Structures are given as C-alpha cells and as structure tokens.
Amino acid sequence: LQVRELRVTGTQRFPAAEVERALRVAFGTPTVAVRPEELRAAVRQIPWVADAEVRVSLDGVVACTVRERPPVAVATDNGRRTLVDAEGTLLAPALTATPRLELAGFGAHPYERASVLAAIPAFEAAWGARVIRVTRLASRDVTLEFAGGICPIAVDPAAPAGLVTARV
C-alpha cells in the first residue's frame, strides 16, 4: 500500500512532467502517510500552476488535477522570451505559439509589469486599437505600439486617459 503511480490531468499549455517531478517525493511512501496538502503546496510552487487538487487513493495512486495560469503576454528581456500571466507572473519560456502582446524591459521590475498589464484594457479603450508591444522606458514611462499604428507612443501607465488627448 505504497504510492506507486502518479496521474496528472489539466495540463494543456505546459508539460505535465514538471508536476510529476513535484509529486515524485511521494513514491514509495505508505498511502496513509502521504499528505495531499503538502503535495498540493509543492505543485503550486510551479509558476504556471494557478491551483491544484491532489488525491491519494489507498491503492497507491496520487491523482493531481491542475488549473493552469493562462499566458496573456510574452516578456522579452536579455534575449529571453517568457510567457506571462495577467498578474505579471513569469510562467515558462515562450517556445511555441505565443500571445500577441509583448512586454520589453520589465525583467527587474515585476510590479511595473503587473501594473502595465492591468492598464492594457484602458490603453486599448482610449486608443481604439489593440496594444501589441509595451516597452519600459523608466519607472513611470512606457512606450506603446498599437496594431496598425505608425510609431510608438510614450505614456505614463498610471494615467492611461492621457492617450485620449494624444489620439486627437
């Protein structure tokens, strides 16, 4: 009655192997001694995992259902491309098809990355077009590039309404 098998479900964009590595500590442990909450906490340490449900059956199977963080942008810093969720969390390297929004220069400024992502809907509403790239210039300045736009526009992310004036 020891843990002998791992089953991971719910992974679509990211490899289940990362979750399996986090759960592997349970192999060989008596099923009654395995703490699902501890395994869940280990799985939730994986950046792209928003939440997980872990169940341990008496027949030795650890079943984990994962809820992924969906990527909304790609962060580009120092030549690396990394998927980012809506809260600005770096998820995993961007290797295949990526979101249409790119964030550049926010590597050392994760809080600014999060606040810019939160402001994207206001930028798009004010300009009337989709933002395709945001580049960090300084702590209170970014440039925005819009789909179909001609040139980047400098704006303070804390004051997206300023785009209305720039648009006119």
Side-chain angles (χ1 to χ4, degrees):
L1 295 175
Q2 297 177 337
V3 173
R4 58 177 175 70
E5 184 180 344
L6 303 174
R7 294 182 188 156
V8 176
T9 58
T11 57
Q12 295 174 346
R13 296 177 190 94
F14 302 101
E18 288 184 52
V19 176
E20 291 168 355
R21 273 193 296 278
L23 297 171
R24 229 173 245 136
V25 298
F27 268 129
T29 304
T31 57
V32 294
V34 175
R35 303 285 178 251
E37 282 305 311
E38 290 176 9
L39 293 176
R40 177 179 177 255
V43 170
R44 290 188 70 206
Q45 294 300 308
I46 300 169
W48 54 264
V49 173
D51 203 359
E53 179 186 338
V54 177
R55 294 175 314 281
V56 180
S57 67
L58 290 177
D59 65 346
V61 177
V62 172
C64 180
T65 303
V66 173
R67 185 171 51 85
E68 298 177 337
R69 295 177 191 273
V72 299
V74 174
T76 57
D77 291 294
N78 298 322
R80 291 186 313 208
R81 296 174 45 83
T82 308
L83 296 172
V84 178
D85 75 355
E87 288 79 38
T89 304
L90 296 176
L91 304 177
L95 303 174
T96 59
T98 59
R100 299 184 314 203
L101 175 61
E102 184 175 346
L103 305 174
F106 290 90
H109 309 281
Y111 297 110
E112 291 179 31
R113 180 175 51 238
S115 65
V116 162
L117 282 167
I120 293 294
F123 292 147
E124 292 177 341
W127 196 257
R130 183 174 53 79
V131 175
I132 57 172
R133 183 177 170 88
V134 181
T135 304
R136 183 185 185 277
L137 299 176
S139 63
R140 296 190 48 91
D141 294 308
V142 298
T143 60
L144 303 174
E145 295 176 40
F146 291 93
I150 299 169
C151 63
I153 299 161
V155 66
D156 177 352
L163 279 175
V164 173
T165 307
R167 177 98 170 128
V168 191

